[in-house]
Amino acid sequence: MELLKDKITKEGRVLSDTVLKVDSFLNHQIDPLLMKEVGEEFANRFADQVITKVLTIESSGIAPATFLGLTIGAPVVFARKKKSLTLSDNLYTSQVYSFTKNETNDISVSKDYLKADDNVLIIDDFLANGEAVKGLLDIAEQAGAHVVGVGIVIEKGFQMGGKALREQGLRIESLANIKSLADGKVEFFD
Amino acid sequence: MELLKDKITKEGRVLSDTVLKVDSFLNHQIDPLLMKEVGEEFANRFADQVITKVLTIESSGIAPATFLGLTIGAPVVFARKKKSLTLSDNLYTSQVYSFTKNETNDISVSKDYLKADDNVLIIDDFLANGEAVKGLLDIAEQAGAHVVGVGIVIEKGFQMGGKALREQGLRIESLANIKSLADGKVEFFD
């Protein structure tokens, strides 16, 4: 997705060979028009699939997932990173280790909003080691739901998450796939 | 906003005289079309104001704030509830006590995305005791930004947050304002 890659090139800040900061449009400040186009691009990529539910994780997945949901007419469910007192124990839970934050979070989804007859598209902002996607897949599996694929805004293709998940037969569509962050520069796969 | 009030009446679950759960369309599962209409209604309510930035707090404020931002052509910034390793110490911070979760969170916004020349509209999903709004006002004040008002999806008008904030001269627009949750029923102010 050229528009997204241009934005990353212009505004992304390479903090190290593995860390890219895109807080100006995705992870802290949100560019609503770009997120709308990202959501619509996900809808295009998976236009051959029937999707009954979009599954993401708070917080940065919410904006692109919501525009996707609007485009295809499906509700969005965001997994919560810890239990809230207003969620009951009627939950699917999994664990996600974040390398960025160096912490493990319980993630949870209410059993009310994910069912065995759901066709689920998983959306997330970043794919690096694949930990968040694995947690969401685990939750979908607990629900007995069918996962049609995974849509990722920015994949760090030089890390191993995407490769391992694709080798399991999972369909992953990344709108920007980064080959390298070496020498402070963002290089994309073609 | 009648569409929102109908949705609350149909799908909201009254857990006690003070707790309303709207996880089916706002706080866990998101209804994208309703959120779009909520965002557009905020734009209508504040159509007389110049707004350069929408300020909200993760996670449930993000969807309505992003649709508002899309409608008025302004970026959205969501305050984070704790520091992330990819955010530097270039932060405005405040503290928010959550009665629902019985915990205090540090909230923070990068100094890069809120400036003294910003005209800020604050958006949140719920207004009860006003703690989250007070934290966001504190952050806007630290930035020297001008707050044009506050847009709330659901106000629990029987609690004191809205009253206290309005008495300080703050303009608050609530799309649904709840008078009572007594006897398991949702009653709105007119």
Side-chain angles (χ1 to χ4, degrees), chain B residues 164-177:
Chain B
L165 291 165
R166 286 183 183 94
E167 283 175 359
Q168 293 170 29
L170 195 67
R171 177 173 170 189
I172 302 178
E173 295 279 349
S174 299
L175 305 193
N177 195 348

Side-chain angles (χ1 to χ4, degrees), chain B residues 53-102:
Chain B
K53 191 115 342 167
V54 178
L55 178 63
T56 188
I57 187 168
E58 61 183 355
S59 290
S60 298
I62 293 174
T66 301
F67 282 114
L68 166 62
L70 182 70
T71 307
I72 64 175
V76 175
V77 175
F78 62 89
R80 289 206 165 272
K81 279 185 182 154
K82 57 179 172 176
K83 291 177 193 177
S84 153
L85 298 185
T86 60
L87 285 174
S88 68
D89 55 3
N90 179 40
L91 296 172
Y92 304 114
T93 61
S94 190
Q95 289 202 319
V96 172
Y97 175 71
S98 165
F99 287 86
T100 317
K101 296 185 180 175
N102 187 26

Side-chain angles (χ1 to χ4, degrees), chain A residues 28-154:
Chain A
H28 184 29
Q29 183 168 258
I30 294 171
D31 179 332
L33 186 57
L34 180 64
M35 291 302 107
K36 175 174 183 282
E37 300 194 2
V38 161
E40 290 171 355
E41 178 68 15
F42 284 136
N44 287 337
R45 300 275 184 113
F46 289 95
D48 58 328
Q49 299 290 318
V50 174
I51 297 157
T52 63
K53 191 116 341 170
V54 178
L55 178 63
T56 188
I57 187 168
E58 59 183 355
S59 292
S60 298
I62 292 175
T66 301
F67 282 113
L68 165 62
L70 181 71
T71 307
I72 65 176
V76 175
V77 176
F78 62 90
R80 289 205 164 273
K81 280 184 181 155
K82 56 180 174 177
K83 292 178 193 178
S84 153
L85 298 184
T86 60
L87 284 174
S88 68
D89 55 3
N90 179 41
L91 295 173
Y92 304 114
T93 61
S94 191
Q95 290 202 319
V96 173
Y97 176 69
S98 165
F99 287 86
T100 316
K101 295 186 181 175
N102 188 26
E103 65 184 23
T104 298
N105 282 296
D106 283 336
I107 65 167
S108 60
V109 170
S110 165
K111 293 180 181 178
D112 291 338
Y113 305 118
L114 200 59
K115 303 285 187 183
D117 59 359
D118 271 321
N119 288 313
V120 176
L121 180 54
I122 291 172
I123 295 293
D124 206 6
D125 56 338
F126 268 95
L127 173 61
N129 296 287
E131 297 297 311
V133 170
K134 280 182 230 165
L136 294 171
L137 285 170
D138 180 24
I139 280 178
E141 188 175 351
Q142 291 175 43
H146 174 61
V147 175
V148 304
V150 178
I152 297 293
V153 184
I154 302 174

